[in-house]
């Protein structure tokens, strides 16, 4: 496993380097100037030029990029241009909330996706299979900004059992925090759970159609044992890869879900940074999300290699 990890690390580092360059370049192509935004509409050209000089925006682009990468390597993210405060503090404050939402959504994805896949592949009830098919189709067809509003209307307005938005820290009040977390996590998880469920269902059905499964069934082996000891383990390796990809989608979708449920995470920070042309905040935040996605994919590959030793041999 160690040699397999060492072979995967160079490509991961290359992806991070390419992503950092693209993020830096694309942000500079976005219309608008941080110095002009900070100076205000009535500022003189001399004032704007002074702000650009103070922020280092008048230096060549390659010098700005080299300074940014050097600061990242030393752990000094520097101050925010417009929002105020240190970038590391701003990202640290939002990272806990976004991580909490993403992990809760990932738990929902695993639980719901596994239930959808197993019941869809093994249930003998046509009604259950039809209900799962309708549910997964609706979860994929309805975008999060629609399903989020529907969840708020149903559970917060009509039933009045859950809060419509906001966040409470788990350390302050765990029971209340779970109530605030439930709706946004479920809204974020539904599309990924539907994808995972369908993929797992197809994998289990293919495994159950193998000749050795038929032979074991004819020999009297219990269906539950065949499912949990043979069919499900054989269907897991590609599902693990898919789960890693869906984790990246959860990180991206959290930005939209946070706006719907007023969740104070990295999504709100990214929105503020883009509106105010706060380059340090946005580029550090985007590179952090890419790094998390790369780390998740690397971990997914390691789990896949552990489940299927042929991957390590290749």
């Amino acid at each position: 496993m160690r040699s397999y990890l060492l072979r995967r690390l160079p490509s991961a580092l290359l992806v991070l380097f390419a992503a950092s360059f693209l993020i830096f370049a694309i942000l500079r192509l976005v219309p608008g100037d941080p110095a002009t935004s900070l100076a205000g509409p009535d500022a003189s050209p001399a004032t704007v030029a002074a702000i650009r000089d103070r922020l280092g925006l008048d230096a060549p682009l390659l010098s700005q990029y080299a300074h940014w990468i050097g600061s990242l390597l030393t752990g000094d993210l520097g101050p925010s241009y417009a929002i105020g405060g240190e970038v590391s503090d701003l990202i640290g404050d939002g990272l806990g909330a976004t991580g909490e939402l993403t992990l809760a959504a990932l738990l929902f994805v695993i639980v719901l996706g596994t239930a959808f896949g197993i019941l869809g592949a093994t249930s003998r009830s046509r009604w259950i299979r039809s209900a799962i098919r309708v549910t997964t189709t609706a979860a994929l067809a309805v975008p999060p900004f629609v399903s989020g509003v529907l969840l708020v209307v149903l559970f917060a307005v009509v039933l009045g059992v859950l809060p419509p938005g906001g966040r409470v820290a788990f350390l302050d009040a765990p029971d209340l925090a779970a109530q605030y977390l439930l709706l946004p996590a479920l809204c974020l998880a539904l599309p990924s759970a539907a994808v995972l469920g369908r993929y797992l269902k197809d994998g289990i059905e293919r495994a159950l159609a193998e000749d050795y499964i038929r032979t074991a069934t004819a020999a009297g082996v219990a269906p539950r044992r065949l499912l949990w000891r043979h069919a499900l383990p054989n269907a897991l390796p590609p599902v693990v890869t898919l789960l890693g990809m869906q984790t990246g989608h959860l990180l991206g979708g959290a930005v939209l879900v946070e706006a719907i449920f007023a969740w104070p995470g990295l999504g709100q920070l990214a929105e503020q940074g883009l509106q105010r042309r706060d380059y340090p905040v946005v580029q550090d935040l985007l590179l952090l999300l890419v790094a998390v996605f790369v780390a998740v994919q690397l971990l997914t590959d390691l789990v896949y290699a552990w489940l299927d030793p042929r991957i390590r041999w290749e």
Side-chain angles (χ1 to χ4, degrees):
M1 291 293 290
R2 182 179 301 176
S3 60
Y4 179 77
L5 176 61
L6 293 176
R7 291 200 305 269
R8 297 289 297 164
L9 279 178
S11 60
L13 295 176
L14 181 61
V15 169
L16 286 177
F17 173 75
S20 68
F21 187 80
L22 288 175
I23 290 170
F24 180 88
I26 291 174
L27 283 179
R28 269 62 182 179
L29 295 176
V30 175
D33 182 15
T36 304
S37 301
L38 288 174
D42 300 327
S44 64
T47 302
V48 175
I51 294 176
R52 289 184 60 84
D53 179 69
R54 178 169 60 86
L55 299 179
L57 296 174
D58 55 351
L61 290 180
L62 288 180
S63 298
Q64 294 183 43
Y65 175 75
H67 181 267
W68 175 46
I69 296 299
S71 300
L72 287 178
L73 294 178
T74 58
D76 181 17
L77 303 184
S80 163
Y81 286 171
I83 299 176
E86 293 292 322
V87 175
S88 56
D89 295 335
L90 294 173
I91 293 179
D93 292 339
L95 185 60
T98 298
E100 179 183 303
L101 175 60
T102 304
L103 289 176
L106 183 61
L107 180 62
F108 272 120
V109 169
I110 295 173
V111 172
L112 294 177
T114 302
F116 290 156
I118 293 177
L119 289 177
T122 62
S123 177
R124 298 181 180 180
S125 172
R126 186 182 65 181
W127 297 106
I128 292 179
R129 294 197 303 270
S130 299
I132 292 175
R133 185 163 52 249
V134 170
T135 302
T136 55
T137 301
L140 289 171
V142 179
F145 63 85
V146 175
S147 62
V149 173
L150 293 176
L151 289 173
V152 169
V153 170
L154 177 61
F155 291 100
V157 178
V158 177
L159 299 178
V161 294
L162 292 173
R167 176 178 181 261
V168 173
F170 260 100
L171 296 179
D172 297 336
D175 54 341
L176 189 59
Q179 296 179 35
Y180 278 89
L181 180 61
L182 185 58
L183 286 184
L186 182 60
C187 175
L188 181 60
L190 281 175
S192 296
V195 173
L196 186 70
R198 288 192 169 189
Y199 210 88
L200 183 60
K201 169 182 172 294
D202 293 340
I204 293 176
E205 288 178 342
R206 286 195 299 268
L208 291 175
E210 295 289 340
D211 291 338
Y212 73 93
I213 295 289
R214 295 173 182 168
T215 303
T217 302
V221 179
R224 180 175 298 180
R225 179 181 176 85
L226 290 175
L227 172 65
W228 292 102
R229 295 292 300 273
H230 300 284
L232 188 59
N234 286 337
L236 275 183
V239 172
V240 169
T241 300
L242 179 67
L243 183 61
M245 297 174 62
Q246 292 302 314
T247 303
H249 291 301
L250 293 178
L251 288 172
V255 175
L256 177 60
V257 173
E258 287 176 3
I260 298 172
F261 292 93
W263 190 266
L266 296 179
Q268 291 188 7
L269 180 62
E271 181 183 2
Q272 295 177 9
L274 286 172
Q275 289 179 348
R276 303 182 186 183
R277 304 295 186 272
D278 201 328
Y279 287 162
V281 171
V282 178
Q283 62 193 19
D284 290 344
L285 181 56
L286 292 179
L287 188 58
L288 172 64
L289 295 179
V290 173
V292 172
F293 183 79
V294 170
V296 170
Q297 294 303 309
L298 187 60
L299 179 62
T300 301
D301 289 342
L302 292 177
V303 175
Y304 198 149
W306 176 69
L307 291 173
D308 190 351
R310 294 172 300 177
I311 302 298
R312 299 197 300 271
W313 298 337
E314 292 175 359

